[in-house]
Amino acid sequence: MPSGALPRPGNARIALIALVVAGAVGLTSWWIARPAGGPEGSRPGPTAEAMAKVRPDIEAMLRSFEPPPPEPPQRALPERPLALPAPPEPPAQRDGHDLRKIEPVRLFMEARRAAAHGDYQAAAQIQHWAVAGGVDGKYDLACYYARAGQLDASFHWLERAAVEEGVDPDWAARDSDLEVLRSDARWAMVYPYLARAGRYWGQSGIKKTLLVLPKGYRTGKPIPVVMGMHGLGSQPEDFVDESVQRAADALSVAFVSVSGTLPRGPRKFVWSESPARDRARLDEALAEVRDRVTVAPGQVILIGFSQGGQMAAEIAARDPRHYAGAVVMSPGSVTELSLDGVPRSPELAQRRCVVVVGAGESPGNVRRAERDAARLRALGAEVFHKPYAEQQQHSFPPDFDTALPIWIRYILGTGPRPR
């Protein structure tokens, strides 16, 4: 249900209120029409007065059944309400290393490790230089500063994150990292700002479709296509790197990496978690590249991580005639998707899926991977399920570069079962 929408009342509740209103109106009509006389016959209207008091409540109750008016479109990014100055830069030196010379993605992961150990001051220092190096991570930086008790710095980066990267206002309203901000009087100005910025990005229509072709490929030759589905709040660049190009060249397959159905920022997308709606986004992406690649019928493989992994399983299982299978990495979702309602079919019994997860990841991801693998098997598909004992982070598997070609051959039926 959209935020702020009122639940639709049941028929019984509507009937009850209608009877109350009808009874009140009927009682008033009877009172006014009855003959005058007796000790109260000439008194003009205790019931009219009572109805005057009740009428606003009845009208408000009836109005509550009406859907709320649509929110006006957010045509431009809102102005920052606090616009606090940037906090001083933290030291660039740490443990004898110059943080400015370390790869930003590595700094991003180091900041997360520091935060996991409760050292939020160090996490903020490292994350600052990751962001300065070009990594999207202003929201995380705001969280680290909030945990470190530096509220002005946290508000500064949170406001910037909303317009420069995108922030989910609903998540910010319950994120335990920001609890101290929500206790600050300034939150009353900042939260509506986050909501307006989120509405702007949601209405922006931003989307991305990235294509990687095998070297020397010419349009007209049907080839398999692997479609990448990124994780929650990420982007299609997750599935475009040197390892993907090597796999495309070695296997003569194309990779189409797709942004999620719902934009949350200029480089941040999520999947709707509606299999039909997200499937339509995949179809749209294939239509965008049909002038550059010819898809072999029934040879589309979905590969997804986290939220994208769960949606890859959901979509591939529902249409096994179109999809050859799926690679499901560390599956997760916002809703409780669990392949419910997927029917058994002869086509699905001929499909293969790969389900992998880090054994040290969140227990929810580990359980979801086990459940998906079991459910796919119960539906008749052949499944390779592997928990990586050495993988402790919610990330791609450590052997992704070498395992990817093996997984693709296995699903296409041109290679052995992975190990």
Side-chain angles (χ1 to χ4, degrees), residues 66-406:
E66 300 175 0
E71 294 180 328
Q74 188 72 37
R75 303 293 186 186
L77 284 167
E79 296 292 330
R80 293 161 51 194
L82 303 182
L84 296 170
E89 284 190 342
Q93 302 296 320
R94 183 171 182 82
D95 298 332
H97 298 284
D98 187 338
L99 301 180
R100 295 167 296 187
K101 298 180 180 178
I102 299 176
E103 185 180 2
V105 174
R106 182 181 165 193
L107 292 176
F108 183 89
M109 299 305 296
E110 289 296 333
R112 286 200 166 183
R113 275 190 277 271
H117 288 90
D119 191 348
Y120 296 106
Q121 197 66 51
Q125 177 192 6
I126 299 168
Q127 184 74 4
H128 172 91
W129 293 108
V131 169
V135 167
D136 280 358
K138 296 181 176 70
Y139 180 83
D140 287 346
L141 185 53
C143 291
Y144 299 152
Y145 272 125
R147 288 285 194 177
Q150 299 182 41
L151 272 61
D152 284 359
S154 181
F155 274 123
H156 168 85
W157 288 109
L158 182 61
E159 286 190 338
R160 286 188 56 182
V163 295
E164 296 174 20
E165 297 176 356
V167 168
D168 182 344
D170 293 333
W171 173 247
R174 63 180 186 273
D175 189 347
S176 59
D177 287 338
L178 300 182
E179 183 175 356
V180 66
L181 296 193
R182 295 194 294 272
S183 301
D184 190 290
R186 293 173 288 183
W187 182 257
M189 292 187 290
V190 171
Y191 179 74
Y193 159 81
L194 299 180
R196 290 193 299 272
R199 191 158 63 248
Y200 169 84
W201 291 120
Q203 297 168 349
S204 67
I206 295 172
K207 61 185 69 174
K208 289 184 181 180
T209 301
L210 305 179
L211 175 64
V212 176
L213 291 170
K215 292 177 182 175
Y217 173 76
R218 293 184 179 276
T219 306
K221 176 185 177 182
I223 59 173
V225 171
V226 180
M227 301 195 75
M229 302 179 69
H230 60 73
L232 181 76
S234 195
Q235 57 185 338
E237 282 80 357
D238 290 357
F239 289 98
V240 178
D241 61 11
E242 295 82 358
S243 64
V244 166
Q245 184 65 65
R246 286 196 297 270
D249 296 341
L251 304 178
S252 190
V253 302
F255 283 81
V256 179
S257 193
V258 185
S259 61
T261 310
L262 308 174
R264 290 290 181 263
R267 296 172 298 279
K268 184 180 292 186
F269 305 86
V270 301
W271 299 96
S272 72
E273 298 194 4
S274 160
R277 189 175 179 187
D278 292 338
R279 162 70 189 274
R281 172 69 188 111
L282 298 180
D283 290 345
E284 177 187 48
L286 282 179
E288 290 177 41
V289 299
R290 74 168 49 134
D291 62 329
R292 288 169 283 168
V293 61
T294 303
V295 183
Q299 297 281 285
V300 178
I301 298 173
L302 299 183
I303 178 170
F305 172 72
S306 195
Q307 188 194 36
Q310 186 63 39
M311 294 316 301
E314 300 282 342
I315 294 169
R318 282 173 166 79
D319 188 1
R321 288 177 296 180
H322 183 74
Y323 297 103
V327 177
V328 181
M329 300 187 295
S330 302
S333 65
V334 177
T335 58
E336 288 299 317
L337 286 169
S338 57
L339 295 165
D340 292 332
V342 177
R344 291 180 62 93
S345 67
E347 293 86 0
L348 187 54
Q350 299 173 14
R351 297 296 178 252
R352 296 172 174 175
C353 294
V354 172
V355 181
V356 296
V357 68
E361 289 191 53
S362 162
N365 295 110
V366 176
R367 287 194 298 269
R368 180 66 65 91
E370 292 173 351
R371 187 171 62 190
D372 284 352
R375 179 64 178 149
L376 288 166
R377 288 194 186 103
L379 291 169
E382 182 180 329
V383 180
F384 171 73
H385 172 219
K386 179 178 179 179
Y388 282 80
E390 69 276 26
Q391 184 181 333
Q392 305 298 310
Q393 300 288 331
H394 188 55
S395 61
F396 282 24
D399 64 347
F400 176 78
D401 291 1
T402 55
L404 179 60
I406 297 171

